[in-house]
Amino acid sequence: KWETGASLPDITQIPALANIFDTSADVLLGIDLTAKEKRVQEIYDEADALYKNGFHNAAAAEVLRAGLKEFPNSHKLMSGLMTRLWMERENDKPEPVRDEMTQEVIRLGEKILAESTDDECRHNAIQILCFVYPEPEVGQREKAVALAEKMPDTLLSRQHLMSHIYNTGDKGAALREDLIFSNISNIITTMRINFYPHDDGSPRYTAEESITIERKILALIDLMFEDGNYGYFRGIAADEYREMAASYSRHGDNAAAIDNLKLAAEHFIKSDEQDERPNEQYTSLLFRGKEIGVPIYNMPYNNAQYLLTEMEKTDFDALRGSAEFREIQEELKKHAKLR
């Protein structure tokens, strides 16, 4: 009767029919899964492009929200929306708005973990929840610990395993380049995070110790990129010089502060120039031939404008009246722009 259009089966019979004919309910109901997956990917890609081409997280989130109205059970779109909301929270949102976004991030993440079998979606949810749960306003560090403890050790990561699978030849060499690059990035990021204060709020390092560690980070970058072609790491180097300039300024060494601020400006301007040439390659010994790649911006303006904004902070008040400080500002203004 169903085949001839005389009647339709009771909806409760659909799972049994699908089992009998060894197929899915979607196939029985005539749902084109390929077309659905293609449309979901198109929505995801549209949102991703908004993010990568100017850090438009709010606009990307709206595209994903609209997509979820069309495909309310798409974990891929949920994962994308979760990521965009998590990042958009940091853009000077009022506390009630930020709290609401945080709760939505948690709801999406927990829904994905409860329902999805897709590893990529689940891993993204776990990563973001591990960052969000310990935040003071959330106060659920134990949930983050429970999720993190279920994840594999570093030695079981995709990059590490692939580098061993392809243990010879050019493909293996390229995979090991990526692994070294990733490890260097993680080491530097962890060194920078370690500046966070003790549990009682006291500084972990003195000003002199902080500057010493910042110089270690710069020395590591120089060691890995001995020819000065820093690529992705140029922005990190620039920010370290900015941090040292602020530290010297706070402690009265204005000459050292200006010297480091000049280096910060030089590297930030070069980093912006590099962003215009994404197809260039690294030339240092370890990464020779590796593409620098297209940058993903994490702010709506370029690095020159970022440094100008940072120079308005009280850290640099002691330098503000000097001719050298104004010269750095004027040079940065020539290059500053919105993305």
Side-chain angles (χ1 to χ4, degrees), residues 66-195:
L68 281 169
K69 289 180 181 178
E70 188 177 351
F71 303 103
N73 296 317
S74 170
H75 297 118
K76 186 178 184 71
L77 297 181
M78 290 180 202
S79 178
L81 179 58
M82 181 187 185
T83 304
R84 299 285 71 81
L85 290 173
W86 172 57
M87 300 189 77
E88 179 64 14
R89 297 179 319 154
E90 308 306 316
N91 289 342
D92 298 323
K93 299 293 181 186
E95 188 171 338
V97 175
R98 190 179 189 279
D99 289 345
E100 184 178 337
M101 295 172 79
T102 298
Q103 290 306 312
E104 186 173 5
V105 165
I106 293 172
R107 285 195 298 272
L108 287 165
E110 291 179 345
K111 184 175 177 63
I112 289 168
L113 293 183
E115 299 175 353
S116 179
T117 58
D118 182 273
D119 285 341
E120 187 174 352
C121 290
R122 291 181 62 82
H123 291 164
N124 184 61
I126 289 170
Q127 180 187 36
I128 295 176
L129 288 174
C130 282
F131 290 147
V132 173
Y133 277 148
E135 292 176 352
E137 59 270 27
V138 179
Q140 298 186 49
R141 185 186 299 272
E142 67 286 351
K143 284 190 175 182
V145 171
L147 287 176
E149 285 181 340
K150 294 177 182 177
M151 298 300 286
D153 185 82
T154 304
L155 294 179
L156 296 177
S157 69
R158 174 183 56 82
Q159 288 173 305
H160 188 85
L161 292 174
M162 289 290 283
S163 72
H164 283 278
I165 292 169
Y166 291 94
N167 56 1
T168 60
D170 291 342
K171 186 173 180 66
L175 287 165
R176 283 185 288 280
E177 278 182 5
D178 288 343
L179 181 60
I180 296 168
F181 193 91
S182 177
N183 285 339
I184 294 300
S185 180
N186 288 336
I187 289 169
I188 290 174
T189 299
T190 306
M191 289 174 72
R192 300 181 85 192
I193 291 174
N194 211 39
F195 282 109

Side-chain angles (χ1 to χ4, degrees), residues 5 78 123 219 233 279 321 330:
M78 290 180 202
H123 291 164
F233 288 92
N279 294 324
E330 291 306 312

Side-chain angles (χ1 to χ4, degrees), residues 2 9-25 28:
W2 189 8
D10 186 321
I11 194 169
T12 60
Q13 294 177 355
I14 296 297
L17 287 169
N19 186 53
I20 288 168
F21 293 109
D22 192 23
T23 187
S24 71
L28 280 182

